[in-house]
Amino acid sequence: MIRQLQEKILKLKEERDFYILAHSYQAKEITEIADFVGDSFQLSLNAAECNNKNILMCGVHFMAETVKMLSYDKNVYLANQLAGCPMAEQVEPEMLEYIKKNHEGYTVVAYINTTAALKELCDVCVTSSTAVKIVQRIENNNILFIPDCNLGNYVKENVKGKNIKLIQGGCPVHAAVTKKDLENAKALHPDALVLVHPECVPDVVAGADYVGSTSGIVEFAKKSDAKEFIIGTEMSIAEHLQYACPEKDFYILSKKILCPNMKLTTLVDVYKAIDGRGGKEIKLDKDKAERAKKCIDEMIRLGK
Ligand code: 13P
Ligand code: SF4
């Protein structure tokens, strides 16, 4: 059944000139039929280079919005219209205007998990895989980092000599994992290496053997000579890795680390979106998109 639907999608996407992007948290049956699977940064780079008329994003809303900014003349769709990222909605533009007033002369660095309206007010975006490198490369020593204070704290730890101000935001999924969860997982699997996403709280990050983006974690685990891994990011990554490396063992760090928004998209959603019966077309005002795109362009320039 799944195979048949996948074949129908592959045929239909050629007929309708669709390019399918999938974030690495998507289900296996979706990553199998995607043209490109990656982390937020890789998806942005890839979207900017694709030649198809239509792009379908299997991920969350801010990712589809970013694609629209980078490929304004293309039709960009989000496969499941309800898939949003709660972190992206945490800061209203008015709130950021207010914070900026108290931080004159600061470079405003936004995690890519933000809305287009917020990006318009920022100087440069970062993703989890590029944040340290980009903040290091920014000439200004005064940085206002929004909205994820856990990623921001990780950047602070790894970029010396800069004055980095954080606000109280973050990913409710990763931030729910505690030091106790980490201790429990280590007690169950004492020989496993711990690989975590920098959206986790500092206590969890401090106990990890490797900290990186979703793709960074996947690459590290594939290349490592170790045989067992505790995966501290959305649990789909442990599943994907288990398929990719059957000779190794992957354990989830905690049952809490499940993103309900990333889990919303189904293969049927993908089919319906390409067929014109589902999904959500991303519409952005041209001037707003151009203003918001500036910090994505800056991210690509500094992050490559
Ligand atoms: P990546 O940048 O690692 O893809 O992370 C995106 C995300 O939403 C993590 O929760
Ligand atoms: Fe947003 Fe967290 Fe889900 Fe990533 S895992 S999409 S940051 S809620």
Side-chain angles (χ1 to χ4, degrees), residues 39 49 120 205 211 215 227 302:
D39 67 17
E49 281 161 17
E120 278 185 70
V205 168
V211 184
S215 300
K227 294 279 172 271
L302 291 170

Side-chain angles (χ1 to χ4, degrees), residues 50-122:
C50 115
N51 290 322
N52 301 67
K53 201 170 89 200
N54 303 297
I55 305 178
L56 180 67
M57 170 59 75
C58 304
V60 290
H61 191 266
F62 78 82
M63 295 176 177
E65 239 182 20
T66 306
V67 173
K68 184 68 185 172
M69 288 172 213
L70 290 165
S71 310
Y72 194 79
D73 295 333
K74 295 186 179 169
N75 306 316
V76 178
Y77 302 86
L78 177 65
N80 185 307
Q81 63 168 329
L82 297 179
C85 167
M87 172 164 29
E89 314 284 333
Q90 278 167 350
V91 183
E92 293 294 334
E94 296 73 25
M95 196 198 288
L96 181 58
E97 296 272 26
Y98 177 78
I99 300 171
K100 277 175 70 170
K101 277 198 186 118
N102 296 320
H103 291 83
E104 273 183 27
Y106 279 66
T107 295
V108 184
V109 177
Y111 193 17
I112 197 165
N113 299 39
T114 40
T115 57
L118 209 66
K119 287 185 176 83
E120 278 185 70
L121 302 173
C122 298

Side-chain angles (χ1 to χ4, degrees), residues 25 60 85-87 113 171-174 199 259 262:
Y25 289 161
V60 290
C85 167
M87 172 164 29
N113 299 39
C171 164
V173 176
H174 286 80
E199 287 175 11
C259 176
M262 282 286 184

Side-chain angles (χ1 to χ4, degrees), residues 158-193:
N158 287 281
V159 179
K160 297 295 167 210
K162 288 203 189 268
N163 168 33
I164 302 175
K165 290 278 167 65
L166 310 176
I167 64 167
Q168 283 302 315
C171 164
V173 176
H174 286 80
V177 180
T178 61
K179 190 177 174 192
K180 186 84 191 119
D181 294 324
L182 177 63
E183 285 164 3
N184 291 343
K186 278 184 169 177
L188 275 175
H189 310 291
D191 298 326
L193 289 183

